[in-house]
Amino acid sequence: MSFDYTGSAYAIRDDIPDAHREIWRNIGQPGNWWRGEDRVAFVEESRNARSCRACEKRAAALSPEGDFGPHHTTTNLPELVVDIVHRLTTDPARLSRTWLDKVNAGGITDEAYVEILGVVVAAISIDALHRALGLPLEPLPVPVAGKPSGYRPPGAADSGAWVHTVQPENASEAEADLYPGGRAGNVISAMSLVPDSVRMLKTLSRSHYLPMRCIMTPGDNAGRAISRNQIELVAGRISSLSDCFY
Amino acid sequence: MLSLSARTHGDTVDINGVVAGDEVATGIPGDRALLAFAEVCLGEDAAAIAGARGQVMEELGEAAMVDAACIVANFQRMVRIADGTGIPLDPQMAAVTAGLRKDLGINGYSAASLTPEPGWAARLLARLMKPFLPAMMRRRTAPQKG
């Protein structure tokens, strides 16, 4: 069984491995724009990025643009895709609209990019929890054969972000589950160009952070062992250390 | 959210700890251990992480440490979603937090340019609404199921 935490030194809530298994299953499936094996390779490259000399050099450089040598890679992904995954992993605060334009010019559409983002951030989050708890990383998801669906949500439009999003008022029936209250913050709708990315985000947020119904209720800690103040202190510190304005 | 959460409970919290780290006593129980844990978890030093993990457990207990680790993991995801899509702050949040962001110095972050600074009318309205925000936010999300 994947994500078996019974041997962990610490008691881990059951909803956590349940969520992780759901995400791993999802990552292994063909997506909207990538095959299952590509999606699994994104996870592998995200792990490679943490020991990538080129990423280390870039992170230390004043500008993220320039030649820092080849990335440490173990997959067959195109060089540009490897670079996207490594940047998302090791230098996200210095991504820019100009950089994404270059990604698009290299043949990676916004839709394909958002799917990479959705997979990478889910994997980073799960791996981060393992590292924080001193647990070994989970073996990679098992890829499932099949073609990407090519589905683009019909309500996707410019909402001020670098990529198109589906805002709650434009969500079609297929995307109605993304926003059950009819409203959502920008960070929830950010990846809605690939709706499953939002679904993965919600699954993980429910177990790692708080159920959606609690998030905008200040003081509600959903019965966690730390108070809402303690939760938001840690959240705020991670955001600050990551130079994240949002 | 920390500011709102503290206000809801009537707690006095120095939110500068979010930016300054464990140099600031925030008034939140276990703050230094939690901040140190968050900080080392962004690095690769497994021994340092183990040490910080032990400190949180000693001060707050095992379940609290696991939940804190979950928050660390969650926000390593959220910051990348925000940074990777170039989303601006939600307009209401931008208005309400205008002063706070200035005080904390986070308007210097590169992504700050994605969010237009709210005008004086929006800032005034936000200031007048501030005491009612916790109740408004509760109402806004009441029908949702998590």
Side-chain angles (χ1 to χ4, degrees):
Chain A
M1 185 172 61
S2 62
F3 296 102
D4 180 3
Y5 295 137
T6 52
S8 161
Y10 319 111
I12 296 174
R13 283 184 275 113
D14 287 343
D15 61 303
I16 294 172
D18 288 349
H20 291 179
R21 284 185 204 111
E22 185 179 330
I23 298 302
W24 241 225
R25 266 195 308 273
N26 189 311
I27 289 176
Q29 300 283 334
N32 294 23
W33 306 101
W34 298 95
R35 298 170 304 166
E37 65 184 89
D38 298 323
R39 293 159 57 91
V40 172
F42 302 157
V43 180
E44 187 173 342
E45 284 303 336
S46 176
R47 290 176 175 180
N48 287 339
R50 298 180 72 92
S51 57
C52 175
R53 186 82 185 107
C55 287
E56 198 180 315
K57 284 184 192 168
R58 180 168 52 209
L62 281 178
S63 165
E65 305 311 321
D67 183 8
F68 302 104
H71 284 294
H72 165 50
T73 175
T74 54
T75 68
N76 294 321
L77 291 172
E79 199 176 318
L80 177 58
V81 176
V82 171
D83 188 58
I84 292 168
V85 174
H86 282 227
R87 284 189 191 231
L88 287 170
T89 306
T90 61
D91 203 7
R94 296 197 291 179
L95 300 178
S96 65
R97 175 71 255 183
T98 308
W99 168 76
L100 188 54
D101 286 343
K102 287 180 189 164
V103 166
N104 292 154
I108 304 296
T109 62
D110 281 349
E111 291 84 351
Y113 166 72
V114 170
E115 185 167 327
I116 296 171
L117 175 67
V119 170
V120 168
V121 297
I124 283 175
S125 192
I126 291 172
D127 284 356
L129 180 56
H130 280 228
R131 286 193 181 90
L133 294 177
L135 298 168
L137 298 184
E138 188 72 14
L140 293 169
V142 178
V144 174
K147 288 182 182 171
S149 67
Y151 176 73
R152 187 185 199 278
D158 185 0
S159 62
W162 297 337
V163 294
H164 283 190
T165 64
V166 179
Q167 290 302 299
E169 62 273 20
N170 296 328
S172 66
E173 199 177 328
E175 280 73 60
D177 64 307
L178 301 184
Y179 315 116
R183 299 182 72 166
N186 287 346
V187 78
I188 303 298
S189 61
M191 299 192 296
S192 52
L193 193 53
V194 178
D196 273 348
S197 296
V198 180
R199 294 186 182 103
M200 288 203 289
L201 155 69
K202 290 173 71 176
T203 297
L204 281 175
S205 290
R206 199 159 42 231
S207 64
H208 287 179
Y209 180 42
L210 294 165
M212 286 292 162
R213 69 174 185 278
C214 303
I215 290 176
M216 297 304 277
T217 306
D220 192 340
N221 74 341
R224 302 288 193 245
I226 50 179
S227 70
R228 187 64 183 269
N229 286 350
Q230 290 168 320
I231 288 172
E232 298 303 338
L233 178 69
V234 174
R237 186 62 183 145
I238 293 292
S239 300
S240 173
L241 288 167
S242 306
D243 285 347
C244 180
F245 176 75
Y246 190 88
Chain B
M1 289 306 290
L2 174 56
S3 173
L4 280 172
S5 173
R7 196 173 325 135
T8 301
H9 288 293
D11 298 333
T12 303
V13 167
D14 184 347
I15 63 168
N16 284 295
V18 164
V19 173
D22 59 9
E23 294 165 13
V24 172
T26 64
I28 297 173
D31 56 355
R32 285 171 196 259
L34 288 168
L35 290 167
F37 185 44
E39 192 161 339
V40 295
C41 280
L42 291 179
E44 303 289 341
D45 187 341
I49 294 171
R53 190 165 60 228
Q55 190 61 39
V56 173
M57 283 177 64
E58 192 177 315
E59 292 188 29
L60 300 170
E62 181 182 304
M65 184 279 292
V66 172
D67 282 345
C70 285
I71 302 304
V72 167
N74 191 76
F75 281 85
Q76 291 197 47
R77 180 174 69 259
M78 302 311 281
V79 296
R80 286 173 172 83
I81 294 170
D83 287 337
T85 56
I87 49 170
L89 270 185
D90 305 79
Q92 302 92 328
M93 191 61 81
V96 170
T97 60
L100 190 66
R101 286 183 280 120
K102 189 178 171 192
D103 292 345
L104 291 176
I106 60 177
N107 282 335
Y109 293 173
S110 58
S113 61
L114 300 169
T115 300
E117 211 36 52
W120 68 267
R123 288 202 306 274
L124 177 64
L125 187 62
R127 184 174 290 184
L128 294 172
M129 303 283 277
K130 217 168 181 178
F132 308 106
L133 269 179
M136 287 169 62
M137 292 173 84
R138 271 195 297 274
R139 244 184 100 191
R140 172 182 158 173
T141 50
Q144 292 196 3
K145 292 180 181 172

